[in-house]
Amino acid sequence: PIPLEIERKFLFLEGDIMELLHNSVLHYLEQIYLINQDNHVERVRKVVSGNSTHYFHTIKKKTTHAFGVEEIEEEVSVD
């Protein structure tokens, strides 16, 4: 099955952020956005964490359910 991502936004207080950062792992992200022939937004994301690099391809489609945008994401291997 293809994972379905649901975006949610949260508001954090300054003290909460410092506690989260103290227990965090650093990831470097690069991403680009494209518009495909069906007028859907596509995202290509590169995630570097330690010695590993992963690439993700996401297609964002507008939907009619309460969440607003459906995202279909798959990891892409680069050889």
Side-chain angles (χ1 to χ4, degrees):
I2 298 173
L4 179 64
E5 178 181 330
I6 300 171
E7 290 187 14
R8 294 191 173 101
K9 296 180 182 179
F10 299 92
L11 178 62
F12 290 96
L13 300 174
E14 188 172 333
D16 295 337
I17 293 172
M18 296 310 292
E19 185 176 335
L20 285 172
L21 290 176
H22 179 71
N23 298 314
S24 298
V25 175
L26 186 59
H27 299 277
Y28 293 96
L29 303 175
E30 292 179 32
Q31 61 188 26
I32 61 169
Y33 289 88
L34 309 164
I35 303 291
N36 67 19
Q37 67 270 14
D38 296 326
N39 217 24
H40 295 136
V41 175
E42 295 191 39
R43 178 182 67 215
V44 178
R45 180 181 285 167
K46 174 183 176 182
V47 180
V48 179
S49 180
N51 294 328
S52 66
T53 302
H54 298 275
Y55 293 87
F56 298 90
H57 175 233
T58 303
I59 300 173
K60 297 185 176 206
K61 298 179 180 180
K62 293 193 183 224
T63 60
T64 56
H65 59 71
F67 300 119
V69 176
E70 177 181 316
E71 295 186 358
I72 300 170
E73 182 172 57
E74 63 181 347
E75 187 167 356
V76 179
S77 40
V78 177
D79 295 326

